[in-house]
Amino acid sequence: MKKQKILTGDRATGKLHLGHLAGSLSQRVELQYKHNQTILIADMQGLTDNGHNPEKVASNIINVIADYICAGINPELTIICLQSALPALAELTMFYSNLVSVSRLERNPTVRHEIKTKGFKDSIPAGFLTYPVSQAADITAFSATLIPVGEDQLPMIEQTNEIVRKINFITKKEILKECKALIGNVGRLPSLDGKSKMSKSSGFVINFDSSDNDIKKAVNSMFTDPNHTSVDKPGKIEGNVVFSYLEAFYKDGNHLEELKLNYQKGGLGDGTTKKILTECLIELIKPMREKREYLMNDKAELINMLKKGTEKSREITDKKCKEVKDNFGILLF
Ligand code: TRP
């Protein structure tokens, strides 16, 4: 694939966790060697449902940068920047919001789903309803063509491309580029009870600074096969959270296949599979936890890194915003 401009982002509303590692972070670590990658810490998007609690967002910015670095994102290869410090993104959002109807926003399936789960009822923040427009501003301001995201973000990519086509039609130029989603090959990591995906709202998560004991407790509480009532009985792999995690993180593929066969045949107990997973996750998290602790000892250095990435991004996004205004013909001086 030709070298592309990549933009991804995360809302700064909490520490990152194993779900992010399996779903997006490991993919970004690989992509940074092949493409031109920028990661946006989406603090403004984080505020769309935390407007009355800005402290929650502000305090998590530093957590998210530390999580990126200890997951293997290299700031020499990937630009990391802060959304709220890029005024062009807010400006473009205002332009684009005139081209999108409220009913179109209400039809966005991810927004609809979130409105329900967040329990806004009749008081949906206007900023929340319009966040797909702000995400279109993010993507187009960086002229990004490849967007590695989870499936839930596909409606945002679709809306972005609708806006791109409208702007290009109005200005009679190809000033904005359409983008494509890149859905990683790792499926969503389930929550510990297997009922939803791993997320803060689904209950306990394993973070990059979780202790060995927390990991042990999390694995022990994982949903397996309720009909697998004794070791010698056959057990089911589908829906078995322990195997989903082994699939995502266990390095020895051949051994994993053997374990699966034995489990399905009967003769392998949940105690053993849980022990194997616990050891695997401890081995994964321990070096990350140590690196994270080291990084958090020098927060000024982390902030400086973010500042540098943001300054580079400001040049890029300001230029794009000016180009849009120029082509709208409203920039008189
Ligand atoms: N909506 C994304 C999420 O919740 C975060 C995000 C904000 C983003 N701006 C972006 C992702 C631009 C990709 C590109 O995960």
Side-chain angles (χ1 to χ4, degrees), residues 14-235:
K15 291 177 187 171
L16 303 181
H17 51 67
L18 280 188
H20 295 105
L21 190 64
S24 60
L25 290 175
S26 14
Q27 190 188 31
R28 292 177 192 172
V29 170
E30 279 178 35
L31 288 169
Q32 68 184 347
Y33 296 101
K34 300 185 198 133
H35 298 280
N36 187 350
Q37 179 169 258
T38 299
I39 303 182
L40 183 73
I41 301 189
D43 55 343
M44 293 297 274
Q45 197 176 104
L47 284 175
T48 60
D49 61 337
N50 289 291
H52 297 283
N53 189 7
E55 165 56 23
K56 177 175 165 194
V57 176
S59 63
N60 276 307
I61 293 170
I62 199 90
N63 275 324
V64 174
I65 326 172
D67 287 339
Y68 286 156
I69 309 289
C70 70
I73 302 288
N74 177 349
E76 299 292 323
L77 299 172
T78 298
I79 298 180
I80 305 176
C81 60
L82 186 65
Q83 194 181 27
S84 63
L86 299 169
L89 303 182
E91 240 181 294
L92 286 173
T93 303
M94 286 309 282
F95 277 108
Y96 298 170
S97 52
N98 302 316
L99 303 171
V100 181
S101 70
V102 173
S103 66
R104 175 65 184 92
L105 289 162
E106 285 168 342
R107 272 202 311 276
N108 181 310
T110 299
V111 172
R112 273 173 87 119
H113 175 75
E114 285 175 308
I115 285 173
K116 257 193 227 141
T117 52
K118 289 181 192 289
F120 290 136
K121 297 209 169 76
D122 289 334
S123 45
I124 306 162
F128 188 85
L129 190 64
T130 53
Y131 92 74
V133 180
S134 123
Q135 196 156 328
D138 299 341
I139 293 170
T140 53
F142 284 94
S143 309
T145 48
L146 196 60
I147 317 297
V149 281
E151 264 171 45
D152 61 319
Q153 295 293 303
L154 286 176
M156 310 305 156
I157 308 295
E158 202 179 310
Q159 274 208 276
T160 299
N161 286 333
E162 285 171 23
I163 292 172
V164 167
R165 289 192 286 271
K166 281 187 187 165
I167 296 276
N168 288 346
F169 179 76
I170 293 167
T171 59
K172 300 188 187 64
K173 273 191 195 156
E174 293 279 307
I175 54 169
L176 301 184
K177 289 192 178 132
E178 289 199 33
C179 62
K180 276 205 179 89
L182 180 68
I183 306 288
N185 50 9
V186 194
R188 289 179 177 184
L189 206 59
S191 55
L192 302 182
D193 62 6
K195 287 188 181 142
S196 54
K197 65 170 180 166
M198 186 178 235
S199 70
K200 276 183 307 260
S201 51
S202 73
F204 192 78
V205 294
I206 300 173
N207 295 110
F208 306 157
D209 60 354
S210 287
S211 67
D212 290 358
N213 204 28
D214 281 348
I215 295 171
K216 209 182 276 173
K217 269 200 264 172
V219 173
N220 280 338
S221 74
M222 280 179 183
F223 179 81
T224 58
D225 171 4
N227 297 319
H228 186 226
T229 44
S230 70
V231 174
D232 47 305
K233 271 195 176 178

Side-chain angles (χ1 to χ4, degrees), residues 75-76 78-82 86 301-315:
E76 299 292 323
T78 298
I79 298 180
I80 305 176
C81 60
L82 186 65
L86 299 169
E301 180 51 36
L302 287 175
I303 292 170
N304 196 30
M305 198 203 71
L306 181 64
K307 194 166 162 232
K308 272 202 218 147
T310 305
E311 277 159 8
K312 273 191 216 152
S313 305
R314 195 173 296 131
E315 262 177 51

